[in-house]
Amino acid sequence: AFGVGLLIILFNLNRRLSGEDSVVQVVATITTAYLAFFTSEILAGCSGIIAIVFCGVTTKAFGETLYNDSHLSHHFWEITEYLLNTLLFALGGCVWGDVIAGRDYLPNEFLFGGRDWGFLFLLFIMVTIIRFFLVFSFYPITSRIGIGQNWREAVFMSYGGLRGAVGIALAMSLHAEIVHFTPLPFDLTPEEEALLTVEQINQIEKHLLYRSYSAKLFGFVGGIALLTLVINGPTCGPLLKKLGLVTPSETRQKVVENYRQHMTQFVLVEYVALLTEARFQDVDFTVVKDHIAWIKDINYDQLMAAVKRHKDRTPSSMYVCPNLKNVIPYVYKHAGEPIYDDEPKDERRSSVRSLRRSEMIRLGHRSARRVRRSTGNRSTVFDLRHHYDKKTVDEERLVFLKILRSAYHRLIDHGELETRGFIVHSLGSGLEYAEDAAARGLPLSDWNAVEVASNSFLKPAEHVLHKLFRLKKIWKHKEIDFESDFHIVQLKVRQILAFVHAHEWARKVFKEEFSKCGKGVLTAAEKIVLDECDEQIKLAENALKELDDEDVQVVKSHYVCHILLNRAAYYFKKLKKHGLMTEREAGMFLEEIEENIYDVLKCRETEHTNEMSERGKMRRLSNAPPEDLSTWNLLAEIRQFVDSPEGGDQRKEQDEKHEESQENKEHLLEAEKEGVEFDSSDLIISNADIEAMNAEM
């Protein structure tokens, strides 16, 4: 009856686009469940648990298609099931332990003795045999209905055992009801016990016997659930493999490896997309490949394929050419040329990385001091004495802040912001202050509010982090000063990057939504809001310029790694959501990504492996196909480098090597004609020269 009533309610709540109706549908399901239990258990004297089971079966069979938002209902009941199951088993375990001890029934003795434990194991075996008997009794029917069932699946169904939730709930309910209807007199004095009649004593003994039977029944039910968990649970996996009900490991490994390769392509395309943004133009590829193992060994063809894929998926009017200046030198390999720079290690470091560690420590201290000094202020930056409707400006300012809040959530969804921590806290605090100020008619000043929030939160956080890092470094016998200051700078740079990017996106959306359709014209009120936004962006960018360029570049490079790892995690979550990966398979990748993210966050390295100098990068770029260099707008930079004194010295050195190789080639030809033997180590000749000689011969 309750199931039918719930179906009627779900059918009438048919406004699919109404979020309120979807919520009411979910509330109706849980309300009906509790109402069915109360009516059956308390008013009708029936089993409330059985009533709920039948109500659920009815709703599942006929009402699954009546939900407006099935995902909302599924997620709600998934969480509710987890919480109630946890509560049920925790409460059942405590009651089960108290019941089998039997302290209320046979004082100073356990209700469950050795004989009862033996019966419990025997009952467990008999229950398993009964399950096999029941499943195979109906096997001729179950193998022919629906998609059918084979004998291997029937074996596993028989061995699967009981989860125990319904059994424990029924046993607890029965035990509580028997205890309620069999009261016992406690704490009787000797005088009161002497006054008990024979009938009262017999009644007490009968109640005690009933309670003992109920307690033993509950003990057996809880024991069966415990043995199922301890015995059946760990052995189900090997049994599945033995029966051949799981996908063969070799085949599944190939499928998972294919997913990994697709994920690598996905991350590479996302990396190319980030390189189109001005804020990531100077990202160091050596940092990216050191922290993201999947793109460490990519080649030039894979990079070009990713660039093409990004171009194909981007509208032509919105396409921006990525800056590949710092990527191509590491992935393009010319014939006979080593994959990395062949300069000495000391010459391989760029001007950004050529500073000594003491100098980097000094720069880190300087950047950290600037962060500490930027405490923010509450002053406004706009003169609002213009001719406009103030109420319109106030309303549109609040709308802009709502878009900005959506922009921060977008950064979280795209992996650029964490859901917890200092950065999201300070940005959220700044936004709340800006909303409060806008409600009072004040202009946007959220950057100042962010700095105020940073100053109030940064000092205790810095102190705690300093102590933690110090303990760790003392244990490892290392210094801490640079790393502690670098962490402060890292937080500041990431905060500014997120702030600026969110405001730029919110500005773009606000302008598109409020400009007159087809004209792109803004009113004076909208122009004021956009100007205030631009001023906040300018303040944040000025704060970024106060920091050291070397520190900013290092933080940006690690920030890109963080973004790409979060997007890789999103890729695997999407595969799991669509059923293409099991939870266990996706969990393995997500754990690996989580470790990589942790490594990125704790990394304090300013130099990474196989880092090229600017000279080495330009030399490698000059060997790339000219048509590609023209496409990526790199020819001008190469020409500028060649015309520079450093490039002129390199060209002169290459000409000298070419002349020397030509002389060695002529010497080799003459020696071969005369049959003269010589030591080939005396010659300096390249693989390209050897190929040219073979062509001539």
Side-chain angles (χ1 to χ4, degrees):
F2 285 99
V4 174
L6 179 59
L7 292 177
I8 295 174
I9 295 174
L10 296 178
F11 179 80
N12 286 280
L13 295 171
N14 56 3
R15 292 186 298 173
R16 184 175 55 85
L17 302 180
S18 173
E20 184 178 353
D21 275 18
S22 300
V23 174
V24 173
Q25 283 185 330
V26 175
V27 173
T29 57
I30 191 170
T31 303
T32 303
Y34 277 103
L35 187 61
F37 180 86
F38 176 80
T39 304
S40 301
E41 188 78 18
I42 306 301
L43 301 181
C46 304
S47 174
I49 297 174
I50 300 298
I52 292 177
V53 170
F54 274 94
C55 181
V57 171
T58 304
T59 306
K60 175 68 177 178
F62 302 102
E64 192 171 8
T65 59
L66 299 179
Y67 286 102
N68 298 331
D69 189 349
S70 58
H71 293 289
L72 175 63
S73 177
H74 175 75
H75 292 156
F76 171 80
W77 281 108
E78 185 177 11
I79 296 174
T80 304
E81 178 191 9
Y82 183 81
L83 293 175
L84 295 182
N85 264 329
T86 303
L87 179 62
L88 174 64
F89 279 94
L91 180 61
C94 294
V95 176
W96 184 72
D98 185 70
V99 164
I100 64 173
R103 289 173 298 194
D104 294 337
Y105 315 106
L106 299 175
N108 302 323
E109 293 184 14
F110 285 100
L111 179 65
F112 253 57
R115 183 180 179 184
D116 295 312
W117 284 105
F119 280 129
L120 175 60
F121 281 96
L122 179 61
L123 179 61
F124 174 74
I125 296 173
M126 293 301 298
V127 167
T128 305
I129 294 174
I130 292 172
R131 285 178 61 85
F132 271 92
F133 174 76
L134 291 176
V135 171
F136 278 94
S137 296
F138 290 92
Y139 178 73
I141 300 176
T142 57
S143 62
R144 289 174 172 81
I145 61 175
I147 61 174
Q149 179 189 50
N150 56 44
W151 68 269
R152 295 182 180 87
E153 295 172 343
V155 170
F156 185 75
M157 287 178 59
S158 304
Y159 185 78
L162 297 171
R163 289 185 59 193
V166 176
I168 290 176
L170 286 171
M172 288 181 62
S173 177
L174 177 62
H175 180 66
E177 188 172 351
I178 290 178
V179 170
H180 176 72
F181 288 105
T182 57
L184 293 176
F186 293 100
D187 300 328
L188 294 178
T189 62
E191 292 78 6
E192 292 176 339
E193 291 181 0
L195 296 176
L196 291 176
T197 63
V198 175
E199 183 178 354
Q200 290 176 332
I201 294 175
N202 292 336
Q203 186 71 16
I204 292 174
E205 291 178 352
K206 185 184 296 185
H207 288 181
L208 187 62
L209 185 62
Y210 289 157
R211 287 194 176 193
S212 176
Y213 290 156
S214 172
K216 282 196 175 184
L217 176 62
F218 181 71
F220 282 128
V221 173
I224 293 296
L226 176 64
L227 292 178
T228 301
L229 179 66
V230 173
I231 298 176
N232 296 59
T235 56
C236 277
L239 180 61
L240 280 172
K241 294 181 180 179
K242 187 69 175 178
L243 294 174
L245 294 177
V246 294
T247 305
S249 57
E250 296 80 5
T251 304
R252 192 59 192 175
Q253 286 176 0
K254 291 180 181 179
V255 174
V256 173
E257 181 60 28
N258 183 52
Y259 289 150
R260 178 188 284 271
Q261 294 175 4
H262 280 281
M263 182 272 299
T264 302
Q265 296 175 359
F266 171 78
V267 172
L268 192 56
V269 173
E270 292 295 320
Y271 179 48
V272 171
L274 290 177
L275 293 179
T276 62
E277 301 180 18
R279 55 178 178 154
F280 294 135
Q281 295 292 311
D282 55 347
V283 168
D284 190 351
F285 182 69
T286 58
V287 178
V288 178
K289 69 182 182 62
D290 275 4
H291 288 292
I292 305 179
W294 308 306
I295 63 176
K296 181 177 182 180
D297 299 324
I298 64 169
N299 54 41
Y300 183 75
D301 294 335
Q302 290 175 320
L303 177 63
M304 292 299 103
V307 173
K308 184 178 182 303
R309 193 176 296 109
H310 168 68
K311 185 176 182 179
D312 292 341
R313 76 177 189 179
T314 306
S316 57
S317 59
M318 301 175 58
Y319 179 74
V320 178
C321 183
N323 188 352
L324 303 177
K325 174 184 175 182
N326 294 324
V327 183
I328 293 179
Y330 294 96
V331 299
Y332 182 79
K333 183 178 180 181
H334 189 58
E337 187 178 14
I339 188 62
Y340 294 113
D341 200 358
D342 56 354
E343 297 179 1
K345 181 178 180 180
D346 293 338
E347 298 179 4
R348 233 175 19 225
R349 299 170 182 173
S350 64
S351 59
V352 175
R353 302 291 185 264
S354 61
L355 296 173
R356 293 176 286 116
R357 180 172 178 80
S358 59
E359 181 68 11
M360 295 298 292
I361 293 175
R362 185 183 66 81
L363 293 175
H365 285 317
R366 186 174 68 184
S367 297
R369 286 195 297 270
R370 288 172 178 171
V371 173
R372 295 187 184 98
R373 287 198 300 266
S374 60
T375 58
N377 60 79
R378 305 276 179 168
S379 61
T380 60
V381 294
F382 288 94
D383 183 9
L384 300 179
R385 292 170 295 178
H386 296 286
H387 298 289
Y388 60 89
D389 186 358
K390 188 175 184 303
K391 292 183 179 180
T392 303
V393 175
D394 294 342
E395 184 64 29
E396 294 190 358
R397 191 179 287 132
L398 290 172
V399 172
F400 176 82
L401 290 175
K402 291 180 180 179
I403 299 175
L404 182 59
R405 183 177 293 277
S406 176
Y408 285 140
H409 288 293
R410 179 175 176 270
L411 292 182
I412 293 175
D413 294 337
H414 287 197
E416 298 190 29
L417 265 181
E418 295 291 337
T419 55
R420 63 179 188 178
F422 160 74
I423 298 176
V424 70
H425 167 81
S426 59
L427 294 176
S429 299
L431 186 59
E432 290 176 359
Y433 170 78
E435 290 175 339
D436 181 63
R440 292 184 281 116
L442 299 178
L444 294 178
S445 58
D446 50 329
W447 174 247
N448 288 327
V450 167
E451 289 196 313
V452 171
S454 302
N455 185 58
S456 60
F457 184 83
L458 188 59
K459 289 184 177 179
E462 175 189 351
H463 179 72
V464 173
L465 288 172
H466 181 82
K467 294 298 182 182
L468 292 176
F469 277 124
R470 184 171 180 79
L471 291 175
K472 184 176 181 180
K473 294 300 180 180
I474 289 176
W475 182 66
K476 292 186 176 181
H477 304 286
K478 294 182 180 180
E479 297 295 333
I480 181 176
D481 293 338
F482 171 68
E483 285 79 359
S484 178
D485 289 334
F486 181 80
H487 182 78
I488 299 172
V489 177
Q490 182 185 53
L491 292 177
K492 190 65 175 179
V493 173
R494 290 193 175 195
Q495 180 191 66
I496 294 173
L497 292 175
F499 181 90
V500 172
H501 190 55
H503 277 70
E504 290 176 345
W505 185 84
R507 187 188 193 282
K508 177 183 176 182
V509 174
F510 181 85
K511 186 176 180 180
E512 291 176 350
E513 294 297 330
F514 279 86
S515 60
K516 293 184 178 179
C517 184
K519 298 182 179 180
V521 179
L522 296 174
T523 63
E526 293 157 1
K527 184 67 168 57
I528 290 175
V529 175
L530 292 180
D531 289 344
E532 292 175 354
C533 172
D534 293 339
E535 185 64 25
Q536 298 306 304
I537 295 175
K538 185 178 179 180
L539 291 174
E541 290 176 343
N542 290 338
L544 186 64
K545 292 177 182 178
E546 293 179 358
L547 305 177
D548 256 359
D549 293 338
E550 293 84 356
D551 291 340
V552 173
Q553 184 185 14
V554 172
V555 174
K556 282 184 178 181
S557 301
H558 288 84
Y559 186 41
V560 167
C561 296
H562 196 180
I563 295 174
L564 293 177
L565 289 171
N566 279 325
R567 294 186 181 179
Y570 166 77
Y571 179 83
F572 286 118
K573 290 179 180 178
K574 184 176 67 173
L575 291 179
K576 184 182 70 172
K577 179 181 179 181
H578 294 166
L580 299 177
M581 293 187 76
T582 64
E583 187 171 354
R584 180 175 176 272
E585 291 169 345
M588 294 174 59
F589 285 106
L590 293 177
E591 287 180 4
E592 180 183 354
I593 293 174
E594 191 71 33
E595 292 179 0
N596 291 335
I597 291 177
Y598 178 75
D599 292 338
V600 170
L601 293 177
K602 73 176 183 179
C603 179
R604 301 292 183 266
E605 296 295 331
T606 58
E607 297 176 2
H608 288 73
T609 57
N610 296 318
E611 187 173 351
M612 290 185 182
S613 64
E614 289 299 321
R615 177 182 176 183
K617 291 179 182 178
M618 288 299 174
R619 183 172 61 187
R620 183 63 58 80
L621 280 173
S622 62
N623 292 329
E627 58 274 11
D628 290 346
L629 296 177
S630 176
T631 303
W632 316 130
N633 302 324
L634 296 176
L635 279 177
E637 293 191 32
I638 294 178
R639 289 182 183 135
Q640 183 180 1
F641 174 77
V642 171
D643 295 337
S644 65
E646 184 179 1
D649 295 340
Q650 179 182 348
R651 188 173 62 238
K652 181 178 179 181
E653 181 182 349
Q654 290 177 347
D655 293 340
E656 292 176 355
K657 287 186 177 181
H658 180 69
E659 292 177 0
E660 187 174 1
S661 65
Q662 290 294 331
E663 294 176 359
N664 289 331
K665 180 173 65 175
E666 295 175 359
H667 184 200
L668 178 62
L669 291 173
E670 293 176 359
E672 287 184 350
K673 291 179 180 179
E674 298 176 0
V676 179
E677 296 183 357
F678 55 90
D679 187 1
S680 60
S681 63
D682 295 335
L683 299 177
I684 302 176
I685 187 167
S686 65
N687 294 336
D689 294 330
I690 294 176
E691 294 177 358
M693 287 166 37
N694 292 333
E696 292 177 2
M697 295 175 62

